[in-house]
Amino acid sequence: MTRPPQPGPPQPQVTIHAIGQEREPLAVLDRFSGSPDAFLEIGRRSHFQAAGAFYPGLRAPARPDLVDRRRDLVARVLEEVFGLRQPVVLEMLAYALVTTPPGDLAPLQAIPHYDAASEGVVAGMFYMMGPETGGTAFYRHRLTGYETITAAREQAYRAAMAEDGRAFGSPPRAYHYGDTPRYEMIYEVEARPDRLVLYRAKLLHSGVIPDPSLLSPDPAEGRMTMNMFFRGR
């Protein structure tokens, strides 16, 4: 007796958003890997170290298995949505744990940030955990109206940040979320297991931390994501 073919894992679902007044693309790829728990388990066995001066936590290098699994899909989205032409290089792929208590945040860690003032760099955030751990929010800087920071805007943005400091003082020691005198939130993407979010690295954004008291440096307990950067021409 011939057995009927067994259904394979669900295929990824791709949704494209145009966010803010600048209508920047944001790609959401759900059901991306088909096995988020397996990647989470690898992350929990990884060796984490301090991520440097800007990231409020720890990182551990990751193998490219996640991207390799859907290489053709990622390449198509990077080209058709973000205009990245080949060759596209995966510059960084790492597990990340947010660990810093709010009271220990540096001023630049308490406001939205951008990763690169470049059209040719796309950031990726892979979620393995649920919405209770927090997603990513995107912002408009009120004084300048900027939602993205390009090389041509960097000098004016830095001057405006200094003006913010004179007007409002130091940012509160807290993970930034929502509308403030400095920034207006323009979009929020929710964390869901097996969701990959891609956006240009020039977008102002901040991680959403619903309950900082739950942050932990223990990979078995902490808010773990996988972060990546793609660079093309």
Side-chain angles (χ1 to χ4, degrees):
M1 180 177 179
T2 303
R3 293 191 177 190
Q6 297 299 308
Q11 290 300 301
Q13 175 183 331
V14 181
T15 308
I16 309 300
H17 304 273
I19 67 173
Q21 294 176 353
E22 297 185 28
R23 310 307 290 166
E24 269 291 313
L26 182 142
V28 179
L29 287 67
D30 285 312
R31 303 192 299 266
F32 180 73
S33 73
S35 53
D37 290 345
F39 286 101
L40 182 61
E41 184 58 32
I42 293 170
R44 286 173 170 166
R45 298 197 307 266
S46 298
H47 178 63
F48 285 81
Q49 295 181 320
F54 296 105
Y55 187 78
L58 310 174
R59 282 201 178 109
R63 292 169 53 89
D65 303 32
L66 175 72
V67 176
D68 287 346
R69 182 169 296 196
R70 301 291 187 190
R71 179 173 293 275
D72 290 345
L73 174 61
V74 171
R76 188 167 70 249
V77 171
L78 291 176
E79 180 178 2
E80 295 179 1
V81 177
F82 298 99
L84 293 195
R85 293 183 296 170
Q86 298 295 332
V88 174
V89 177
L90 177 61
E91 290 196 327
M92 191 273 281
L93 179 65
Y95 286 98
L97 280 172
V98 177
T99 61
T100 304
D104 293 339
L105 291 172
L108 288 178
Q109 294 174 326
I111 59 173
H113 67 281
Y114 62 102
D115 296 308
S118 171
E119 291 288 328
V121 180
V122 171
M125 179 77 73
F126 180 63
Y127 300 104
M128 297 161 285
M129 307 174 79
E132 71 282 356
T133 61
T136 304
F138 298 84
Y139 292 90
R140 176 185 303 116
H141 182 242
R142 292 186 185 274
L143 186 58
T144 60
Y146 295 162
E147 297 167 355
T148 61
I149 307 301
T150 63
R153 290 178 171 182
E154 279 190 302
Q155 185 173 354
Y157 180 59
R158 289 170 183 161
M161 290 174 67
E163 182 63 28
D164 283 343
R166 290 188 288 271
F168 307 119
S170 295
R173 295 290 184 92
Y175 284 96
H176 193 282
Y177 181 71
D179 295 341
T180 68
R182 289 175 166 87
Y183 296 91
E184 176 185 359
M185 190 168 76
I186 60 172
Y187 196 77
E188 180 178 358
V189 61
E190 184 180 70
R192 292 185 186 174
D194 214 16
R195 168 173 279 183
L196 174 65
V197 178
L198 298 170
Y199 52 90
R200 287 196 178 100
K202 64 180 183 175
L203 269 165
L204 288 167
H205 63 282
S206 187
V208 178
I209 309 297
D211 187 351
S213 69
L214 299 179
L215 296 177
S216 171
D218 182 353
E221 301 290 339
R223 178 191 186 269
M224 188 185 301
T225 59
M226 201 184 297
N227 303 350
M228 62 200 76
F229 292 103
F230 300 91
R231 183 181 293 272
R233 293 187 295 165

